[in-house]
């Protein structure tokens, strides 16, 4: 047998079943599970992986192959991402108010684009610029102590025109 395989393989075949563990902040477990288990079921249905989440934030991913495990990890990370000040996101307008628009920049994470931050010119009403369901590039200006996120479409537009990171 040593003539055929004189040493163990350096890595497992990408087609071999995998058990992978990652850690997430325990306070973000609810975001991965979702209301009534909706998020975790969707991740499992989309990837074919089976997930087990422990109270300490350990997520075990049982997958048929490497690609499935990686896809499940990406989807879990999408639900546990935090907004970063200065970063540009492609968001979806969730709610229109007289004073601005609430835009979802990450799953379950909304921020406010104040009416003064919608465009470089004076805007009379928010609906001149957007309506619910619209996609828009926004830049995170600030995150206050309560976790409220201030966004700017005006600054995101300026940076994307200059060849910025959006």
């Amino acid at each position: 047998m040593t003539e055929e395989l004189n040493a163990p393989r350096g890595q497992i075949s990408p087609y071999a079943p995998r058990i992978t563990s990652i850690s997430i902040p325990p306070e973000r477990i609810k975001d991965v599970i979702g209301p009534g288990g909706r998020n975790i079921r969707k991740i499992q249905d989309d990837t074919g992986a089976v997930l087990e989440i422990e109270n300490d934030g350990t997520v075990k991913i049982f997958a048929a192959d490497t690609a499935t495990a990686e896809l499940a990890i990406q989807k879990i990370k999408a639900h546990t991402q935090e907004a970063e000040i200065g970063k540009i996101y492609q968001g979806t307008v969730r709610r229109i108010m007289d004073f601005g628009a609430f835009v979802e920049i990450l799953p379950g994470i909304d921020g406010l684009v104040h009416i003064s931050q919608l465009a470089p010119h004076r805007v009379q009403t928010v609906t001149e610029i957007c309506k619910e369901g619209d996609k828009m590039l926004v830049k995170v200006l600030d995150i206050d102590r309560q976790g409220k996120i201030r966004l700017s479409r005006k600054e995101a537009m300026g940076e994307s025109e200059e060849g910025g990171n959006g």
Side-chain angles (χ1 to χ4, degrees):
M1 193 154 83
T2 55
E3 292 172 13
E4 291 298 318
L5 188 63
N6 58 2
R9 289 191 172 95
Q11 59 186 18
I12 298 172
S13 165
Y15 306 107
R18 304 263 182 201
I19 301 174
T20 308
S21 288
I22 63 169
S23 289
I24 61 170
E27 63 273 9
R28 300 303 304 265
I29 292 171
K30 64 179 175 30
D31 299 323
V32 175
I33 294 173
R38 185 179 64 199
N39 295 349
I40 193 169
R41 274 197 310 275
K42 181 158 178 36
I43 293 169
Q44 291 180 131
D45 291 346
D46 290 352
T47 64
V50 175
L51 306 178
E52 276 184 16
I53 303 176
E54 298 181 12
N55 291 336
D56 66 354
T58 302
V59 181
K60 291 182 184 167
I61 302 158
F62 302 89
D65 54 37
T66 304
T68 301
E70 290 299 321
L71 183 59
I73 290 169
Q74 285 176 0
K75 289 185 177 286
I76 291 166
K77 287 183 176 178
H79 285 285
T80 59
Q81 276 182 297
E82 300 284 331
E84 295 175 43
I85 294 174
K87 190 168 179 186
I88 294 179
Y89 295 91
Q90 174 76 34
T92 304
V93 177
R94 293 292 176 210
R95 216 170 20 152
I96 301 284
M97 306 296 279
D98 291 340
F99 52 85
F102 287 94
V103 177
E104 183 179 53
I105 57 171
L106 294 167
I109 298 177
D110 290 1
L112 173 66
V113 181
H114 189 268
I115 192 167
S116 65
Q117 293 294 323
L118 282 170
H121 59 277
R122 182 160 167 68
V123 176
Q124 296 298 320
T125 62
V126 176
T127 54
E128 286 176 37
I129 304 295
C130 61
K131 62 183 185 310
E132 287 184 17
D134 283 357
K135 301 275 187 209
M136 73 166 60
L137 278 180
V138 291
K139 180 177 180 179
V140 177
L141 298 178
D142 188 38
I143 303 171
D144 71 11
R145 288 185 185 174
Q146 289 92 31
K148 292 180 182 173
I149 302 169
R150 281 189 336 125
L151 303 171
S152 173
R153 177 177 176 264
K154 177 169 63 174
E155 287 197 24
M157 288 168 49
E159 285 193 26
S160 63
E161 288 170 7
E162 296 166 13
N165 59 351

